[in-house]
């Protein structure tokens, strides 16, 4: 089973917590907090009740989050199924516009053939043009631009 990542900002840094308080704060069992202590979460002293500084609790969870992060190179997208950064299959991606400044790159993973996504700004998109082939969306033809008469207008003329 995959390790869960907890929000480091739940704990207050100027407060100390008992094991029970830390467990209720994160919604876990007391045994989970004891496992965190065995994994390196520092306690104030070994006497009962064991107290954990809030700043240590925040730092512990931030370090766990940072350890699991993987940086993608500019021409790579993160595959959720493979859990690694990969270059797109055939070096081809589609760009989907979200706003006028950012959009999504959508590609297929070369190993597992699942969909990969990456949010990217329009400025960074220009840096990728030589490395991968980017397909930009085509402008849609609006109904107003259509010069053909509609079916309903033909019925009204009769």
């Amino acid at each position: 089973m995959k390790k869960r990542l907890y929000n480091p900002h739940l704990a207050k840094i100027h407060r100390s917590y008992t094991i029970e308080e830390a467990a209720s704060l994160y919604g876990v069992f007391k045994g989970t907090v004891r496992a965190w202590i065995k994994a390196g979460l520092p306690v104030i002293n070994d006497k009962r009740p064991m107290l954990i500084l809030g700043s240590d609790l925040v730092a512990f969870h931030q370090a766990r989050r940072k350890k699991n992060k993987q940086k993608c190179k500019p021409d790579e997208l993160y595959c959720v199924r493979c859990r690694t950064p990969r270059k797109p299959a055939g070096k081809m991606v589609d760009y989907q516009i979200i706003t006028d400044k950012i959009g999504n790159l959508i590609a297929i993973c070369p190993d597992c053939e699942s969909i990969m996504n990456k949010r990217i700004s329009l400025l960074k998109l220009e840096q990728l043009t030589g490395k991968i082939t980017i397909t930009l969306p085509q402008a849609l033809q609006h109904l107003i631009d259509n010069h053909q008469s509609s079916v309903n207008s033909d019925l009204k003329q009769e």
Side-chain angles (χ1 to χ4, degrees):
M1 192 163 111
K2 190 179 135 185
K3 265 194 269 185
R4 264 190 79 185
L5 298 177
Y6 298 96
N7 186 357
H9 303 294
L10 289 177
K12 301 197 181 329
I13 61 170
H14 297 294
R15 187 168 174 212
S16 58
Y17 295 94
T18 62
I19 290 177
E20 292 82 14
E21 290 172 340
S24 66
L25 180 68
Y26 286 99
V28 297
F29 292 105
K30 293 185 285 185
T32 304
V33 178
R34 288 188 187 106
W36 292 345
I37 292 170
K38 288 180 183 176
L41 176 63
V43 292
I44 293 176
N45 56 17
D46 292 334
K47 296 180 182 176
R48 302 263 184 223
M50 286 187 163
L51 293 177
I52 305 164
L53 287 176
S55 58
D56 290 340
L57 199 54
V58 169
F60 176 76
H61 286 297
Q62 282 177 340
R64 286 183 117 186
R65 279 187 173 209
K66 191 173 186 178
K67 179 186 77 162
N68 292 332
K69 282 203 174 204
Q70 296 187 14
K71 279 292 237 188
C72 291
K73 293 178 184 172
D75 60 341
E76 290 180 336
L77 286 80
Y78 185 78
C79 180
V80 179
R81 186 182 285 177
C82 298
R83 294 191 177 129
T84 56
R86 303 230 187 248
K87 294 190 179 196
K91 294 188 177 185
M92 297 186 315
V93 295
D94 293 332
Y95 182 73
Q96 182 181 23
I97 298 172
I98 296 174
T99 65
D100 57 344
K101 294 183 180 180
I102 61 169
N104 277 342
L105 290 179
I106 303 169
I108 297 173
C109 177
D111 293 341
C112 66
E113 298 179 358
S114 65
I115 301 292
M116 301 187 299
N117 292 300
K118 181 178 185 176
R119 180 128 329 163
I120 191 167
S121 69
L122 197 57
L123 297 174
K124 291 184 180 178
L125 187 66
E126 294 170 2
Q127 297 172 357
L128 296 176
T129 52
K131 297 178 182 177
I132 55 178
T133 306
I134 301 170
T135 305
L136 297 172
Q138 300 295 323
L140 297 175
Q141 182 182 10
H142 294 286
L143 294 176
I144 298 170
D145 296 339
N146 193 354
H147 296 294
Q148 296 176 355
S149 61
S150 67
V151 175
N152 292 335
S153 64
D154 292 340
L155 294 175
K156 290 180 185 176
Q157 292 174 357
E158 292 175 1

